Amino acid sequence: MTGEPDGPEDRLRRFATIWSRAVFPVTSTSLTRPELEQQLLPLARRLSDALKARTFDAAAGQAVGAALVAAHCTDPEALSRSLDCVDAYLVLYCGEDGLQEALRTRSARLQHAMAAGFAGALRERTLAEQEAISQAALNARSTVAEALHASEARFRAVFEGAAIGIGIADLEGNILQVNGALLRMFGGSEQGVRGRKVPEWTHPEDAPQVWRLYEELVRGEREHYHVEKAFYRPDGTALWTNLTVSLLRDADGRPQYQLALMEDTTERRLLNLRLRYEATHDALTGLPNRTLFFERLEKAVSGGNDQRFGLCYLDLDGFKTINDSLGHAAGDRLLVEVADRLQSCATAPGEMVARLGGDEFVALTTGPDTEREVDALADRIMNALVTPVRIDGRELTVRGSIGIVEGPAGERGPAEVLRSADITMYRAKSAGGNRFELADPEADARAITRHGLTTALPAALDRGEFFIEYQPLVHLGDGSVHGAEALVRWLHPQHGVLGPDRFIPLAEHTGLIVPLGRWVLEQSVRQACQWQERHADSGPLRINVNLSPCQLTHPGLVQDTVDILEREGLDAEALCLEVTESALIGADDDLLKPLRRLAEMGVDIALDDFGTGYSNLANLRRLPVSILKLDRSFTQGMQQFPADPVDLKIVEGIVSLAHSLDLAVTVEGVETGAQAEQLRILGCDTAQGWYYARPGPPDRLHELALVDATG
């Protein structure tokens, strides 16, 4: 019973077998096919190792290409077949599951390195043959008097047996002799080749210096030159060569003949063009990829003073949902359809569309009037996406968000332009998607600052850049200081003191809120203990600490709180944890369980920003809270006399409801004495705000407590 090879060595041998069968028919060797396979096996092993190496090593592929030349696989067809074999079978037999896309990229780069190594080795071999031919010619000329027939035989053997094309012409350009290899390269008769003069072999892609070098050689001003040159074959196709032309002098040193050696590089050039295309185009959609787009963008943004550019950065809305629900195959088909539509939108001169990766596309337009053209391009793109895409019997609605950057060339680099377009695209997506936005330097600066703060957060905590200010909580009944709320600040080295609104959302997004919140709790509890020691006679001062929604779901919340209280020696009754109402709307028992455990220990739980979450008041019965913190929006109407009667009724109702549920009421944002008095009359228990004190250092609370104690 037979089957596919199982072990890695068996799979490697299978790959070497396929490789040997591919190249053996076009290899000039005395070896048998199995013997050639044994020569290719270590090369296959080296390719396999390079494919799976941690970092890419081009030298491995170059060495394999050079080894093919050493094994007499010098025919360009042998290289082409080898590369096709590597492209089709290397990842299949030597790859690893789950890494197919990355391995195919690595395989393409190995093919490119193999081609380079093959070309280099073949060139060295060609130059060696050239040296032998030139030496034979010189020897023949120097010994013509005494051994004319012998030298002629030797020269003829080298001339006719060489693997490269050789031609001899006089200084007027008349072609005198050509060998068989050169005739085969041109695919014509000897008469057809010899019937033309050298200056007639022009080609539109000749480099400017080609014919200048030729003129210098025939005038005797240089001995040789080497160029890459194209020729027309009789059938009109192009023949690309590495051309070396040498000057042959007579016994007196006078220029007499020119000797041309041609290496056919047409197949290699086509291969390089193919590899270049694959390296600069997206394999799925055929669009230019990130590499080619950056080349075009760099050229566009560095153009002349009268040139401008416009860039549309498109990201599909909800594409992940399509991939997750219908599968990646359906997602790929959608991307292909979107790519086709985008290409139809950018057909004017100076316009291009590229795929950066995933579901991100860019469209670029250049010229003197891109302010108008880029808006029109964005409109065409949005209109092109309107028609649903039909895949597997389903009609999929395609939506996209576009960020537009437009401006004069020469002011910004390509990376800066693309970053601005990316930021603007996400601004469009945040605004609801299915729209485009124009870049705004101020919005870019805010986003860049936000990114800088995000990346600086972890180090800031390690460097001790955070500190805590405390805002007093005052008992409305007798005006005594009841405690304080801990408010964290960031002393940033460049931006100065930042409030929590600038960095807490970033900390929540990155997960740093958990260690930061633990640090705030620890510092606050330690400060509360110091207050207790200094005010033992005036009763305990409580500390309120905010909890973010991310901290509520962290499994270590309860244990961290217990450990900090025990380590610092603070009673649980002196700690209040504040949780926003929005975090508890619709909370299930699993989310409430840690709060219930803390409440059972004696820790107060305050429902912060109460009244802003549109929650069902009946939910208060199931929440483990003991304090309602009324949002300042309900009490702003009480800052002036007389107070807003609607606000009075609302607050009176909330206080009555809270007290009926045995909940205390704390009010935020108290700024006037009239406001404080009205809240006292309504029955609120505690308050905080600028009327009493702004957030400040812990010693300020000590001073307020002393004033309260001394009356």
Side-chain angles (χ1 to χ4, degrees), residues 6 30-31 58 72 141 160 163 218 248 262 270 283 368 373 375 401 415 443 478 481 498 534-535 537 546 596 680 702:
D6 296 323
S30 60
L31 298 177
H72 304 290
R141 186 182 63 190
E160 292 296 343
V218 297
L248 300 180
M262 296 183 186
L270 292 175
E373 291 171 355
D375 287 341
S401 301
D478 56 13
V481 178
L498 302 178
R534 302 175 73 175
H535 304 282
D537 297 336
N546 291 283
R596 289 198 177 102
R680 184 191 66 78
H702 169 61

Side-chain angles (χ1 to χ4, degrees), residues 26 35 52 70 202 215 258 280 302 345 351 404 425 427 437 449 500 521 532 536 578 617 677 691 703 711:
V26 293
E35 290 172 338
K52 294 178 286 188
T202 59
E215 293 294 337
Q258 50 178 314
T280 57
S302 60
C345 296
E351 294 181 345
I404 298 176
M425 178 272 292
R427 186 151 51 85
E437 294 280 350
T449 300
L521 179 62
Q532 303 289 30
E578 298 188 9
L617 295 179
E677 177 61 20
Y691 173 67
E703 295 168 1

Side-chain angles (χ1 to χ4, degrees), residues 12 44-55 60 94 106:
L12 189 67
R45 183 173 290 106
R46 186 156 190 182
L47 287 175
S48 176
D49 293 341
L51 179 71
K52 294 178 286 188
R54 186 171 184 178
T55 58
C94 304
R106 175 70 63 84

Side-chain angles (χ1 to χ4, degrees), residues 482-598:
H482 185 69
E485 180 180 359
L487 300 169
V488 64
R489 307 284 191 255
W490 182 3
L491 182 56
H492 193 278
Q494 283 81 40
H495 302 290
V497 176
L498 302 178
D501 58 309
R502 293 286 301 277
F503 61 87
I504 290 298
L506 306 180
E508 290 177 334
H509 179 70
T510 60
L512 190 71
I513 191 65
V514 172
L516 178 59
R518 188 185 302 116
W519 178 85
V520 171
L521 179 62
E522 188 172 22
Q523 297 297 314
S524 303
V525 168
R526 184 174 300 150
Q527 183 58 59
C529 289
Q530 295 177 10
W531 287 333
Q532 303 289 30
E533 295 173 359
R534 302 175 73 175
H535 304 282
D537 297 336
S538 59
L541 293 177
R542 300 163 55 81
I543 186 69
N544 285 31
V545 179
N546 291 283
L547 285 183
S548 80
C550 296
Q551 288 175 273
L552 289 178
T553 59
H554 188 263
L557 172 63
V558 176
Q559 190 60 51
D560 285 346
T561 305
V562 171
D563 291 345
I564 291 172
L565 290 173
E566 291 181 351
R567 184 167 60 250
E568 302 299 334
L570 184 71
D571 291 337
E573 291 78 7
L575 174 64
C576 176
L577 298 177
E578 298 188 9
V579 184
T580 59
E581 179 188 21
S582 59
L584 296 183
I585 292 177
D588 56 20
D589 288 339
D590 289 338
L591 183 63
L592 296 177
K593 187 178 298 181
L595 292 181
R596 289 198 177 102
R597 289 183 58 190
L598 290 169

